[in-house]
């Protein structure tokens, strides 16, 4: 391995070589895409030696590793992250300039791998970043979707989905390894036979199979020389498969069959929080965990490894229920393939898994029809049935005569159809079950899985989510990073609690002025972007009020919209003098699941309101609403550093944690939020004075749910009534009174997430926000205190908690 070029000259030489030899073009004739690909390859050279070393050390050393199993990784762009990890930013910028090229242009040419829907996938990406930075051996396992999360466009204000073709211009950050492919079986039947030792055993005779080809991605630690691996699997038809069809002589059939196999990893399901029980999704889930377990157990570990000691070498973290089919798969590998006894296999399996639950919504807990599992994975169904039988015997022993409890706890449900409750399977198999924020873990114990927590209280724990400060502060907000580093040094980048050192500076007038200048310049940067990207004129002098996250009824974008309409209505009706209003720009960013009707209606309504409000001279300079399309990690990195106000307004008890809330607070936005998810912990840490709390508490929500009549809120609150009436009047839809009918009647007559019940409390809190913003210096003080007190929300701390409470792993010995 040649030494990496750390000087500008050496970089230029390596870059031009990549361009000429790798891309096959001269600098003069190269496209931006040629240049971006050559740059990526030049930068990745720097990480290669470390990466190979980490892989070699992992094979040699007996240190326990983490296998993070996640169906989603929302990585964001790779170039910036690699430049940050290798500290090459300045060399590369200068070197490119010497070639007459601009780094920012090449950076913008990269399409982010959108292999996740939102928070859950982004969390996985933050976690692997932190583990690499903390020098903990980890392999992230997942799926290489050919099409990631769709690209959102708006046509007449309505969401239209376009396929995400992230691979078409080349993917310089991945390394395919067809020689390490794994075969994955499906369907068929099982049979018993007697083995050479006279033991009765089970054999799965599959109906068809595909192969999984691993694509490796580098996960560099922050300037610590460690590079971990993210291994994403792609489905291919097998050679045997081809041959068989070739022999049948039907070429068209052959091509169709190939497509059938490769469909498995073709596209990410775009549902967030409410998955659909589609067969292809179960195929995806099994496909990637089967590849991953076989890869770790039979390729990474030595061939003759004693599987009764597997838990000494690996712990698999199940990121939600998506990978839970890994539990029966490990049993199958141990019992059928490695010929362990059932009891020995179960003992080790139970030590190898831990489960993270990410939800409180009952509709988000996956239940697979028994028929479907039986058809697709017949051996796994038998294994699940045996696990269940033994588990229920244990329940009956602990709680004799309590058959209702047995039915509640059963892994297999009988109603409405026979189904496998994946959360129950995960809980039975796992060493630990964790929620993702303190409140969520409490509700998980008491409301979602109360029978299980009664039986095994010690199995339940909490790990509050976190975000990586490398991407979401250092990289996304270079100006604030520089200001912080100048004040307290750069130790915060890997030890975020050091931000506490900023606390005294909140009282320093000069520091506050500099902090405000940073915010202002971040807004200008955002304004440039939105002008080019979406044609918006962002007023940089106004308060930037930001609500960015997936569109979901429980998150209550409709409540934010009601607030906007109220402010607008009060001005145009003459009840409020526009001169007395604190100027605001409301920013929405949100994708809706393509089949989620109410979410898409909400998007349409926001866009219609935005068009009218932005065009009305009556509110000019006072209120505007921008909704840039296609919210993703790249856009988040520009929006979040510019935000003044962070909207975290889910109905209490519905948002498991949230991580957008952490990113925004860390970048000096003040939160207006309910007592929900990690908002609770943010408020505890930043203090009540620096957080705008509103809305019902979770127990009040539970009580009100028994007799809630939303239309009564409408009748009883004049401002709310006026806002809803204006929405229904056609004023935002060219006179069409029916335009928002589905949305409005849903709010008035159903309102499952009680937006109307929290409306009054919310708009009152917004008045407190306005009052606070009128004193820019006091606002800056509160914003600085948010930054100073949010070190807890580093994903490094989350990883420390997983290590201490769940994994019991150690950092690796330093490499040679
Ligand atoms: C952080 C993040 C999310 C999660 O946002 P929440 O507000 O926690 O729901 C979703 N999408 C993207 C692109 C993110 O970066």
């Amino acid at each position: 391995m040649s030494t990496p070029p750390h000087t500008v000259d050496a970089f230029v030489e390596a870059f031009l070589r990549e361009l000429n030899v790798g891309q096959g073009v001269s600098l003069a004739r190269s496209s931006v895409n040629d240049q971006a690909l050559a740059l990526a390859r030049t930068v990745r050279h720097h990480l290669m030696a470390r990466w190979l070393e980490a892989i070699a050390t992992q094979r040699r050393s007996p240190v326990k590793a983490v296998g993070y199993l996640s169906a989603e990784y929302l990585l964001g762009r790779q170039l910036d992250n690699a430049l940050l990890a290798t500290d090459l930013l300045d060399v590369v910028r200068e070197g490119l300039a010497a070639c007459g090229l601009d780094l920012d242009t090449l950076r913008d040419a990269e399409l982010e791998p959108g292999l996740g829907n939102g928070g859950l996938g982004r969390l996985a990406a933050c976690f692997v970043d932190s583990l690499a930075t903390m020098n903990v051996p980890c392999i992230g396992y997942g799926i290489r979707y050919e099409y990631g999360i769709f690209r959102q466009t708006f046509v007449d204000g309505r969401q239209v989905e376009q396929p995400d073709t992230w691979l078409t211009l080349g993917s310089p950050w991945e390394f395919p390894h067809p020689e390490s492919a794994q075969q994955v079986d499906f369907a068929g039947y099982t049979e018993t036979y007697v083995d050479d030792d006279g033991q009765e055993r089970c054999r799965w005779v599959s109906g068809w199979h595909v192969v999984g080809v691993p694509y490796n991605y580098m996960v560099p630690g922050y300037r610590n020389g460690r590079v971990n691996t993210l291994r994403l699997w792609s489905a291919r038809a097998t050679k045997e498969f081809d041959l068989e069809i070739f022999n049948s002589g039907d070429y068209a059939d052959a091509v169709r069959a190939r497509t059938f196999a490769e469909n498995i990893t073709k596209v990410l399901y775009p549902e967030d929080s409410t998955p659909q029980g589609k067969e292809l999704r179960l195929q995806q889930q099994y496909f990637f965990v089967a590849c991953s377990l076989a890869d770790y157990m039979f390729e990474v570990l030595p061939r003759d490894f004693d599987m009764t000691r597997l838990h000494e070498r690996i712990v698999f973290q199940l990121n939600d229920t998506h990978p839970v089919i890994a539990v029966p798969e490990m049993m199958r590998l141990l019992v059928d393939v490695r010929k362990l006894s059932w009891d020995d296999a179960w003992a080790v399996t139970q030590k190898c898994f831990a489960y993270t639950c990410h939800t409180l919504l009952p509709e988000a807990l996956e239940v697979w029809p028994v028929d479907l599992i039986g058809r697709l994975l017949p051996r796994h169904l038998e294994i699940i049935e045996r696990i269940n039988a033994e588990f229920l015997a244990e329940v009956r022993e602990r709680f004799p005569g309590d058959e209702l409890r047995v039915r509640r706890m059963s892994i297999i449900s009988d109603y409405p159809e026979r189904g496998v409750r994946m959360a129950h399977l995960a809980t039975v198999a796992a060493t630990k079950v964790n929620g993702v924020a303190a409140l969520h873990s409490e509700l998980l114990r008491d409301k979602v899985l109360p029978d299980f927590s009664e039986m095994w209280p010690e199995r339940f724990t909490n790990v509050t989510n976190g975000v990586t400060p490398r991407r979401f502060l250092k990289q996304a907000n270079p100006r604030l990073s520089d200001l912080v580093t100048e004040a307290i040094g750069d130790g915060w980048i890997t030890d975020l609690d050091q931000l506490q050192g900023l606390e005294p500076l909140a009282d320093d007038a000069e520091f506050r002025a500099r902090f405000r200048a940073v915010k202002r310049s971040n807004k200008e940067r955002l304004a440039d972007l939105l002008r080019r990207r979406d044609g918006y004129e962002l007023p940089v002098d106004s308060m930037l009020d930001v609500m960015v996250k997936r569109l979901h009824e429980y998150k209550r974008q409709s409540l934010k919209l009601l607030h906007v309409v109220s402010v607008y209505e009060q001005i145009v009706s003459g009840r409020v003098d526009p001169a007395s209003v604190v100027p605001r720009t409301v920013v929405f960013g949100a994708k809706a699941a393509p089949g989620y009707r109410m979410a898409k209606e909400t998007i349409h309504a926001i866009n219609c309101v935005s068009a009218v409000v932005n065009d009305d001279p009556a509110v000019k300079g006072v209120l505007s609403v921008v909704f840039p399309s296609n919210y993703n990690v790249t856009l988040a990195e520009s929006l979040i550093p510019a935000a003044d106000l962070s909207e975290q307004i889910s109905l209490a008890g519905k948002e498991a944690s949230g991580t957008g809330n952490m990113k925004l607070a860390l970048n000096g936005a003040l939160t207006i939020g309910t007592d929900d998810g990690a908002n609770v912990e943010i408020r505890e840490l930043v203090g009540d004075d620096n957080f705008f709390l509103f809305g019902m508490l979770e127990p009040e929500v539970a009580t009100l749910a028994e007799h809630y009549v939303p239309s009564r809120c409408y009748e009883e609150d004049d401002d709310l009534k006026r806002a809803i009436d204006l929405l229904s009047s056609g004023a935002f839809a060219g006179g069409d009174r029916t335009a928002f009918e589905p949305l409005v009647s849903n709010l008035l007559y159903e309102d499952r997430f009680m937006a109307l019940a929290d409306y009054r409390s919310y708009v009152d809190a917004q008045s407190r926000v306005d009052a606070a913003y009128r004193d820019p210096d006091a606002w800056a003080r509160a914003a600085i205190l948010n930054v100073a007190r949010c070190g807890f929300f580093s994903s490094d701390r989350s990883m420390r908690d997983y290590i201490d409470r769940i994994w019991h792993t150690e950092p690796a010995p330093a490499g040679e």
Side-chain angles (χ1 to χ4, degrees):
M1 184 68 48
S2 59
T3 39
H6 274 294
T7 65
V8 173
D9 288 346
F11 166 77
V12 169
E13 192 191 320
F15 170 70
L16 291 178
R17 189 166 356 101
E18 276 299 340
L19 197 58
N20 299 154
V21 180
Q23 282 304 109
V25 289
S26 65
L27 177 59
R29 297 196 58 87
S30 60
S31 67
V32 169
N33 192 54
D34 289 324
Q35 296 154 10
L37 292 178
L39 172 59
R41 288 209 196 86
T42 313
V43 173
R44 82 182 194 184
H45 281 175
H46 289 251
L47 296 166
M48 289 302 301
R50 301 295 199 168
W51 194 25
L52 297 178
E53 190 179 300
I55 292 169
T57 313
Q58 199 147 316
R59 276 177 190 270
R60 263 183 279 119
S61 92
V63 173
K64 184 170 167 182
V66 177
Y68 200 77
L69 294 178
S70 179
E72 301 188 9
Y73 290 88
L74 191 51
L75 295 171
R77 285 181 177 163
Q78 296 298 290
L79 176 65
D80 276 312
N81 192 244
L83 289 177
L84 189 66
T86 49
D87 198 10
L88 278 176
L89 188 63
D90 296 333
V91 166
V92 166
R93 192 184 287 284
E94 244 184 85
L96 288 175
C99 300
L101 302 176
D102 171 34
L103 173 60
D104 294 334
T105 307
L106 301 197
R107 180 188 271 153
D108 285 343
E110 183 181 350
L111 296 174
E112 68 170 70
L115 309 183
N117 273 285
L120 174 141
R122 185 53 238 176
L123 185 77
C126 285
F127 282 2
V128 293
D129 176 90
S130 283
L131 288 172
T133 295
M134 295 161 75
N135 203 23
V136 176
C138 166
I139 307 183
Y141 284 113
I143 300 174
R144 178 183 177 271
Y145 302 102
E146 195 177 326
Y147 297 92
I149 187 66
F150 62 85
R151 190 164 59 81
Q152 179 191 54
T153 62
F154 296 140
V155 175
D156 296 332
R158 292 194 177 273
Q159 171 174 297
V160 174
E161 301 88 21
Q162 305 287 346
D164 166 47
T165 53
W166 69 289
L167 290 169
T168 49
L169 290 178
S171 44
W173 299 103
E174 64 180 17
F175 296 79
H177 283 282
E179 77 290 352
S180 304
Q182 294 290 345
Q183 178 173 319
V184 182
D185 291 314
F186 288 97
Y189 58 92
T190 65
E191 60 187 20
T192 51
Y193 69 101
V194 177
D195 72 9
D196 296 345
D197 301 332
Q199 288 278 338
E200 186 162 294
R201 301 224 159 249
C202 187
R203 175 155 57 206
W204 175 16
V205 182
S206 69
W208 52 277
H209 56 260
V210 300
V211 292
V213 176
Y215 284 69
N216 289 348
Y217 285 73
M218 296 180 281
V219 183
Y222 179 77
R223 297 182 194 172
N224 66 347
R226 187 173 185 88
V227 182
N228 278 342
T229 302
L230 181 61
R231 186 161 298 159
L232 306 181
W233 299 94
S234 180
R236 296 277 181 277
T238 58
K239 286 212 183 65
E240 295 84 348
F241 206 103
D242 287 349
L243 194 63
E244 211 171 284
I245 296 157
F246 174 78
N247 287 340
S248 79
D250 189 331
Y251 175 74
D253 252 10
V255 174
R256 248 197 307 280
R258 200 167 186 106
T259 311
F260 173 78
E262 293 174 2
N263 261 346
I264 293 180
T265 52
K266 185 68 73 181
V267 60
L268 167 75
Y269 276 98
E271 277 87 30
D272 188 61
S273 299
T274 46
Q276 288 174 19
K278 294 270 176 62
E279 177 164 347
L280 187 58
R281 195 177 163 97
L282 180 60
Q283 289 177 11
Q284 290 184 337
Q285 295 180 351
Y286 178 64
F287 167 77
F288 102 87
V289 301
C291 289
S292 307
L293 292 197
D295 179 69
Y296 193 83
M297 292 165 69
F298 306 141
E299 303 288 333
V300 176
L301 290 180
R303 287 263 158 197
D304 57 352
F305 188 80
D306 171 8
M307 288 296 165
T308 60
R309 306 179 60 181
L310 186 59
H311 57 282
E312 294 171 16
R313 299 295 292 273
I314 189 78
V315 54
F316 288 107
Q317 187 68 35
L318 302 165
N319 194 24
D320 215 293
T321 51
H322 316 147
V324 170
I325 197 72
V327 170
E329 173 65 3
M330 182 178 285
M331 287 299 288
R332 187 184 74 81
L333 293 175
L334 294 176
V335 174
D336 296 357
V337 179
R338 279 303 173 94
K339 316 280 194 255
L340 264 63
S341 73
W342 176 274
D343 290 343
D344 286 349
W346 184 239
V348 74
T349 296
Q350 271 198 307
K351 290 184 208 147
C352 283
F353 288 103
Y355 163 53
T356 305
C357 178
H358 282 271
T359 189
L360 287 162
L361 303 177
E363 66 267 34
L365 293 170
E366 288 184 300
V367 179
W368 289 108
V370 165
D371 287 348
L372 174 59
I373 296 198
R375 185 154 43 79
L376 212 55
L377 301 168
R379 178 59 181 143
H380 297 76
L381 181 59
E382 290 175 0
I383 291 171
I384 292 167
E385 281 170 338
R386 178 153 176 199
I387 293 172
N388 195 38
E390 294 187 1
F391 162 61
L392 293 182
E394 202 182 330
V395 176
R396 287 192 174 100
E397 199 171 303
R398 264 293 295 280
F399 305 96
D402 194 348
E403 281 305 305
L404 272 179
R405 177 189 298 264
V406 169
R407 269 211 236 160
R408 285 198 308 268
M409 296 182 77
S410 176
I411 294 169
I412 297 176
S413 67
D414 284 324
Y415 186 83
E417 59 178 339
R418 281 182 38 89
V420 178
R421 296 159 163 160
M422 301 308 271
H424 291 203
L425 178 56
T427 305
V428 169
T431 51
K432 294 282 176 184
V433 176
N434 75 286
V436 289
L439 173 66
H440 173 240
S441 294
E442 220 174 88
L443 295 171
L444 183 64
R445 263 191 313 260
D446 301 344
K447 302 218 158 162
V448 184
L449 299 168
D451 295 314
F452 290 88
S453 65
E454 195 183 340
M455 188 155 160
W456 298 310
E458 70 298 334
R459 196 170 291 193
F460 286 76
T461 187
N462 171 247
V463 178
T464 298
N465 283 167
V467 299
T468 170
R470 269 76 63 187
R471 182 176 289 269
F472 287 107
L473 188 50
K474 171 84 178 143
Q475 178 188 312
N477 200 342
R479 291 176 187 84
L480 183 57
S481 296
D482 288 348
L483 181 63
V484 170
T485 296
E486 200 185 304
I488 61 169
D490 66 2
W492 60 272
I493 298 168
T494 51
D495 178 12
L496 204 59
D497 284 331
Q498 290 188 23
L499 290 178
Q500 279 163 8
L502 293 173
E503 193 131 334
L505 291 158
D507 292 317
D508 175 334
E510 196 210 314
F511 190 82
R512 287 196 300 268
R514 295 181 66 193
F515 180 89
R516 289 174 56 198
V518 165
K519 228 355 133 191
R520 162 110 199 172
S521 92
N522 288 340
K523 286 182 191 179
E524 283 163 358
R525 183 181 76 153
L526 177 65
D528 281 345
L529 177 73
L530 295 187
R531 191 179 303 119
R532 275 187 285 123
R533 185 185 184 277
D534 304 86
Y536 281 117
E537 270 312 315
L538 196 73
V540 291
D541 287 320
S542 65
M543 178 205 306
L544 204 71
D545 174 354
V546 173
M547 182 162 192
V548 287
K549 48 186 71 256
R550 282 299 288 253
L551 201 311
H552 203 291
E553 285 166 285
Y554 83 81
K555 293 178 181 277
R556 300 198 297 189
Q557 279 91 354
S558 56
L559 178 58
K560 176 76 248 173
L561 182 64
L562 285 174
H563 172 240
V564 169
V565 172
S566 283
V567 173
Y568 179 71
E569 188 279 330
Q570 286 167 11
I571 296 171
V572 294
S573 69
R575 293 193 297 143
V576 164
D577 175 4
S580 73
V581 175
V582 176
R584 274 199 201 224
T585 302
V586 177
V587 183
F588 287 95
K591 289 180 186 176
Y596 189 171
R597 169 147 185 260
M598 203 49 66
K600 293 181 113 174
E601 293 294 340
T602 308
I603 286 179
H604 179 234
I606 294 169
N607 276 323
C608 291
V609 168
S610 162
V612 169
V613 167
N614 295 352
D615 205 35
D616 190 337
V619 294
K620 191 160 180 59
V622 175
L623 180 66
S624 57
V625 180
V626 303
F627 192 167
S629 60
N630 202 40
Y631 179 60
N632 59 9
V633 176
T634 305
L635 183 57
E637 288 169 20
S638 293
L639 275 172
I640 289 170
D644 292 308
L645 186 65
S646 163
E647 299 272 353
Q648 308 300 336
I649 63 178
S650 53
L651 177 64
K654 301 298 177 197
E655 184 75 88
S657 164
T659 49
N661 47 3
M662 302 168 185
K663 298 169 198 165
L664 282 152
L666 190 59
N667 280 274
L670 272 59
T671 305
I672 179 165
T674 48
D675 204 53
D676 200 16
N679 295 354
V680 177
E681 287 151 89
I682 293 176
R683 184 170 58 88
E684 277 167 11
L685 285 164
V686 306
D688 285 310
D689 295 344
N690 305 305
F691 185 108
F692 302 94
L693 177 68
F694 77 96
M696 293 178 284
L697 307 182
E698 192 280 327
E700 298 174 279
V701 170
T703 309
L704 180 61
E706 288 160 24
H707 56 87
Y708 181 47
V709 183
S711 57
R712 214 173 280 155
C713 303
Y714 165 84
E715 298 296 346
E716 288 168 5
D717 190 312
D718 187 51
D719 290 328
L720 176 58
K721 184 166 188 309
R722 284 165 178 268
I724 288 183
D725 289 348
L726 187 60
L727 260 182
S728 313
S729 72
F732 300 110
D736 178 1
R737 293 173 159 274
T738 64
F740 311 130
E741 207 279 323
L743 186 64
V744 170
S745 41
N746 184 269
L747 284 174
L748 284 177
Y749 305 113
E750 194 170 328
D751 196 15
R752 192 176 151 211
F753 299 101
M754 301 182 175
L756 303 197
D758 272 343
Y759 169 86
R760 178 44 49 195
S761 168
Y762 180 53
V763 295
D764 288 349
Q766 290 287 9
S767 302
R768 284 186 273 131
V769 169
D770 283 338
Y773 200 77
R774 276 177 211 286
D775 183 345
D777 206 38
W779 184 280
R781 183 177 180 280
I784 293 164
L785 289 176
N786 265 264
V787 179
R789 294 173 181 175
C790 278
F792 177 77
F793 298 107
S794 169
S795 46
D796 302 349
R797 188 272 315 148
S798 302
M799 293 298 87
R800 188 33 66 206
D801 287 350
Y802 274 93
I803 289 168
D804 292 346
R805 297 172 195 169
I806 300 175
W807 300 334
H808 311 296
T809 51
E810 283 304 319
E816 302 70 334

